[in-house]
Amino acid sequence: MTGLLDIRRVYVEPEAAVLPRGREVLARFPGAEVVEVESHHRIPQLYGDEANVARWVRIKTEALVLGVKKSLTARPNGRSADFIAPSTANGCAMACAYCYVPRRKGYSNPITVFANIDKIAGYLRRHAGRQGDKPEPDQVDPRLWVYDIGENSDCSVDAMISENVRDLVELFRDLPNAKASFATKYVNRDLLDWDPRGHTRIRFSLMPAADSKLLDIRTSPIAERIDAINDFVAAGYEVHVNLSPVVVRDGWLEDWAELLDRLDDSVSPEARAQLAAEVIFLTHNDRLHQVNLGWHPKAEEVLWQPELQQAKRSETGGWNVRYRNGHKGRYVTALTDLLAAKLPYCRIRYAF
């Protein structure tokens, strides 16, 4: 199943194991040890154990969690999407050094798959039905309500483990007033056969290759992501780009100019006609900083720059750091001006 995954142990909630999707997932890994757990949230072998820092990537490769999503809510968003859909998975097999998800789990975040996909899909169908037609265009979408289906995971990788993502793509394909959306750093060409008919937006995350090599651990190369854009547009997806996270360092703007030139040279007329971008500058966290020092300290040389950053207390009690007020505004302007000059056809949906 590629070098990303070599599942040897599946932690399973009993309720998930008996659901059709749970049985399908377990059948995909017949050689794996199955460990029954009371809750996918509380697995001492995975979460909250500082010793797991040294096994960060190994746990992502070898462990899988199978659970049931208890709380089904679609949270209003208004930035990248209109709503954040209930997760069908969380965690990730990739190991991006800036990822916010490990901050919540503590020391490890292998993929958790939720087996009650029927209830999640039913909830989304009813929720979209209650919205009716979108009353007016906005920066999220001019016509459809947009649901982010991958806030806490990467759907391209999730699709290698279960049919959950395909089920959602097919669900939204048939909803007249809504579309799905997810960001990805992985090119999974199996998705090209799913016939989304314009009702799924894929946002390929991009950054300069030098940054990606240091920070985007176990992801598809930037060139591969760019090269996939035309194929996904031709297959019926709406394709946007996330310029994210933007890391300020020596030579950063020159490297972004090179990336944008590469993107401009690659995208087809059809891709250009529908292209839009989200621009997101780095937000880091003191707890993730400490985790990274244990397994990937090189990344912290560019992610943790106190002279450029300011701290704000997070909802979970830690400290989030972002580029200082005033300075950040200049950085944002510099990059958005560059994007407008290099790709004048690419609408900037938002930048922060």
Side-chain angles (χ1 to χ4, degrees):
M1 187 176 281
T2 83
L4 270 182
L5 295 168
D6 180 18
I7 303 300
R8 303 186 180 188
R9 185 174 292 108
V10 183
Y11 297 90
V12 186
E13 290 181 342
E15 185 180 351
V18 299
L19 291 173
R21 183 53 38 87
R23 294 197 300 270
E24 289 175 16
V25 171
L26 289 173
R28 289 193 180 194
F29 307 101
E33 177 188 2
V34 177
V35 180
E36 186 174 303
V37 295
E38 289 186 12
S39 170
H40 66 269
H41 287 299
R42 296 185 296 276
I43 305 176
Q45 301 96 314
L46 299 183
Y47 308 144
D49 183 355
E50 188 172 356
N52 282 335
V53 171
R55 302 169 57 239
W56 188 257
V57 171
R58 182 176 175 183
I59 289 174
K60 287 171 167 287
T61 304
E62 298 180 356
L64 177 67
V65 182
L66 188 58
V68 170
K69 180 71 173 176
K70 302 296 195 300
S71 175
L72 301 183
T73 58
R75 303 193 330 268
N77 179 255
R79 180 175 276 166
S80 183
D82 294 296
F83 301 101
I84 306 298
S87 299
T88 59
N90 66 41
C92 191
M94 298 181 288
C96 300
Y98 47 81
C99 180
Y100 71 92
V101 177
R103 303 176 198 169
R104 299 179 180 178
K105 284 193 172 182
Y107 300 111
S108 178
N109 67 325
I111 295 172
T112 296
V113 176
F114 295 123
N116 54 329
I117 182 64
D118 290 346
K119 286 190 175 181
I120 296 170
Y123 171 85
L124 286 169
R125 186 182 297 106
R126 294 189 298 274
H127 188 277
R130 291 194 296 270
Q131 306 313 308
D133 292 335
K134 197 168 197 177
E136 59 186 10
D138 58 22
Q139 67 86 15
V140 175
D141 192 82
R143 191 173 63 88
L144 301 176
W145 298 107
V146 178
Y147 290 75
D148 193 312
I149 63 171
E151 182 189 35
N152 294 314
S153 65
D154 190 304
C155 290
S156 297
V157 179
D158 297 342
M160 298 162 58
I161 295 174
S162 83
E163 297 298 318
N164 282 358
V165 181
R166 182 166 190 163
D167 285 350
L168 292 186
V169 169
E170 292 177 351
L171 167 72
F172 280 94
R173 179 179 65 197
D174 297 329
L175 295 179
N177 67 333
K179 70 170 61 168
S181 177
F182 64 88
T184 185
K185 303 178 183 71
Y186 190 79
V187 178
N188 182 347
R189 290 184 171 271
D190 290 344
L191 278 62
L192 293 172
D193 298 327
W194 290 2
D195 190 25
R197 302 178 197 169
H199 278 247
T200 292
R201 173 187 294 165
I202 293 182
R203 292 139 37 222
F204 281 107
S205 294
L206 303 177
M207 64 172 63
D211 288 333
S212 181
K213 186 175 181 180
L214 178 65
L215 305 175
D216 272 356
I217 310 303
R218 292 162 59 83
T219 63
S220 295
I222 294 296
E224 185 179 347
R225 300 181 214 174
I226 292 175
D227 289 343
I229 290 174
N230 294 342
D231 293 336
F232 276 82
V233 171
Y237 290 91
E238 181 183 38
V239 179
H240 289 183
V241 290
N242 279 13
L243 308 184
S244 167
V246 181
V247 177
V248 176
R249 53 168 176 75
D250 289 342
W252 70 280
L253 203 57
E254 292 82 359
D255 284 352
W256 276 98
E258 181 180 339
L259 171 69
L260 295 176
D261 284 338
R262 170 76 168 82
L263 182 60
D264 183 48
D265 289 341
S266 300
V267 290
S268 66
E270 293 79 11
R272 291 181 182 213
Q274 52 87 76
L275 194 65
E278 302 177 8
V279 180
I280 306 168
F281 278 71
L282 173 72
T283 296
H284 201 30
N285 175 274
D286 63 332
R287 294 172 179 172
L288 183 57
H289 170 61
Q290 292 300 322
V291 169
N292 285 349
L293 288 176
W295 80 278
H296 190 24
K298 278 282 187 183
E300 290 306 299
E301 295 176 11
V302 297
L303 295 178
W304 190 260
Q305 302 183 72
E307 70 279 4
L308 299 180
Q309 296 165 327
Q310 63 188 32
K312 179 181 179 181
R313 179 71 73 178
S314 72
E315 294 177 357
T316 58
W319 292 95
N320 291 340
V321 295
R322 51 182 57 86
Y323 296 116
R324 293 183 183 275
N325 293 339
H327 296 289
K328 182 178 178 180
R330 291 197 297 272
Y331 302 150
V332 172
T333 298
L335 184 55
T336 54
D337 285 351
L338 182 66
L339 181 59
K342 296 283 188 182
L343 280 71
Y345 49 84
C346 181
R347 176 171 54 93
I348 300 173
R349 291 188 42 241
Y350 66 89
F352 74 95

